[in-house]
């Protein structure tokens, strides 16, 4: 499932992240993927500002109802600020299945980019997700986020002007299977939208289906 979520971060949070990025040192993005031959960006590596940035973005995502409903998050990797200057890109790649985080290993089911720069302020730099012989391209406004399956091949197109600043993170979902996750999201949405129009006894039966699918499909702790 591919979802753009608007206004994950309020303008003040975007401004704080932009200020953190402006004041901090960025390093070659290869620090976290030393063997990558396609990663050509920069990332924030100074512990204190990186921690503050991660906290702002993680809190906003986990507090966002739409994100919660779509992702069924069990754990998220500390969001990382990444920067692309003219000439930088991140060539076509899949995201690793397992990642180490301070709170343990995480299986990456969903990937997320939170956009922090005004799309008019840079050229290029779209996130392009390959879908067979088709594609989806995302270049969101500041504070918006795109959530997409980590199993896709995707790339960040070369930036040719300005600076692309984003926060990126990876999410382990309580529902590992993408088809099951999307089915339950749809069912929950329809139940939330139409439940009040149903006879109460039918709504209870529908809820039993929602809850029992959740029991069957979620990872056991
Ligand atoms: O910068 C982005 O939007 C995505 C970067 C990416 O694909 C990654 O870090 O794995
Ligand atoms: Fe990626």
């Amino acid at each position: 499932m591919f979802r753009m979520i608007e206004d994950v971060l309020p303008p003040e949070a975007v401004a704080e992240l932009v200020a953190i990025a402006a004041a901090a040192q960025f390093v070659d993005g290869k620090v976290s993927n030393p063997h990558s031959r396609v990663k050509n960006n920069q990332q924030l590596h100074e512990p204190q500002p990186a921690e503050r940035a991660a906290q702002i973005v993680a809190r906003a995502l986990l507090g966002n109802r739409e994100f919660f409903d779509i992702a069924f998050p069990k754990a998220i990797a500390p969001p990382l600020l990444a920067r692309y200057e003219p000439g930088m890109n991140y060539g076509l790649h899949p995201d690793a299945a397992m990642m180490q985080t301070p709170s343990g290993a995480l299986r990456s089911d969903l990937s997320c980019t939170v956009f922090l720069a005004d799309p008019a302020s840079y050229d290029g730099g779209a996130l392009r997700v390959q879908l067979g012989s088709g594609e989806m391209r995302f270049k969101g406004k500041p504070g918006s986020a795109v959530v997409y399956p980590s199993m896709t091949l995707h790339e960040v197109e070369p930036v040719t002007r300005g600076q692309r600043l984003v926060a990126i993170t990876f999410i382990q979902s309580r529902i590992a299977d993408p088809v099951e996750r999307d089915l339950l999201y749809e069912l929950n949405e329809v139940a939330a939208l139409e439940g009040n129009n149903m006879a109460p006894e039918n709504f209870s039966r529908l809820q039993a289906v929602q809850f029992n699918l959740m029991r069957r499909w979620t990872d056991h702790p």
Side-chain angles (χ1 to χ4, degrees), residues 84 90 93 95 113 127 148 154 156 164 166 168 170:
Y84 298 72
Y90 195 160
H93 67 279
D95 291 332
T113 295
L127 172 66
Y148 60 101
H154 55 273
V156 176
R164 175 185 191 267
V166 293
I168 54 157
F170 305 93

